[in-house]
Amino acid sequence: MLRKALLFISLISWSVHAHCGSLYEDLGGREGIATVVDNFITEISFDPSIYPFFSKTNVPRLREKLEEQFCMLSGGPCEYTGDTMEKVHTGMHISSAEFNRTVELLQSAMDDAGVPFTTQNRLIRLLAPLREEIIRR
Ligand code: HEM
């Protein structure tokens, strides 16, 4: 009886894993994340309320650090080597509305990269807790 129950549980966990890849894989791995980050930077550069924050930014560095961060957070084989979210955004006085707008730009970036809605939400959920380290600093 116990053996049957264990077999049942392992079959269920196998089937859950077989049908639900890691977020990193679902985002398309390193290449998919690079496309999302590129689109995100393009979205930012066309947004009149968000672009001014980035007017003096070293874009190649931003691209590299965002790729590392999204890769690591989604469970990929990367290490984030940038500064802490608090350190980077201190002094910018980012409002809650500006934070929300930036998340919308990331959603558009993922739309353009063909990332399905449910996968988009998994990444957004991982980024949401960073909000307090980023706004009003
Ligand atoms: C979930 C939201 C956000 C995440 C995950 C995020 C992440 C990052 C990362 C990883 C970097 C690079 C850090 C480094 O160079 O070491 C960065 C830089 C930057 N972020 Fe954010 N950020 C977010 C929201 C925002 C918002 C809302 C703004 C402004 C409206 C903003 C403005 C900037 C600017 C201007 C830089 C470049 C700093 C520089 O020029 O040195 N970020 N961010």
Side-chain angles (χ1 to χ4, degrees):
M1 180 64 195
L2 181 63
R3 279 172 71 171
K4 271 195 182 147
L6 285 175
L7 179 66
F8 183 65
I9 289 167
S10 56
L11 274 175
I12 293 211
S13 92
W14 171 80
S15 93
V16 167
H17 280 100
H19 293 101
C20 162
S22 77
L23 177 55
Y24 173 73
E25 283 160 25
D26 291 350
L27 285 167
R30 210 174 269 256
E31 220 174 291
I33 289 173
T35 304
V36 167
V37 169
D38 255 345
N39 294 351
F40 186 33
I41 291 173
T42 304
E43 290 285 337
I44 288 171
S45 70
F46 283 111
D47 191 278
S49 62
I50 301 304
Y51 174 69
F53 285 92
F54 292 86
S55 60
K56 296 202 175 86
T57 294
N58 172 345
V59 174
R61 177 188 162 103
L62 177 70
R63 179 181 291 118
E64 179 187 283
K65 301 305 170 200
L66 283 172
E67 283 180 13
E68 286 175 5
Q69 190 189 39
F70 292 176
C71 172
M72 191 184 77
L73 280 174
S74 65
C78 313
E79 194 191 336
Y80 175 63
T81 61
D83 294 319
T84 66
M85 290 297 94
E86 190 175 333
K87 183 169 177 215
V88 174
H89 301 96
T90 292
M92 292 188 196
H93 310 289
I94 297 167
S95 69
S96 172
E98 286 157 347
F99 182 91
N100 294 345
R101 178 67 190 142
T102 304
V103 172
E104 277 174 16
L105 297 178
L106 176 59
Q107 285 168 325
S108 303
M110 290 194 280
D111 273 340
D112 287 348
V115 175
F117 187 63
T118 49
T119 307
Q120 294 186 19
N121 284 342
R122 284 159 72 201
L123 181 64
I124 303 289
R125 262 205 304 274
L126 293 173
L127 296 173
L130 302 176
R131 180 191 178 93
E132 298 312 312
E133 294 169 47
I134 292 173
I135 62 169
R136 293 193 284 272
R137 299 210 167 259

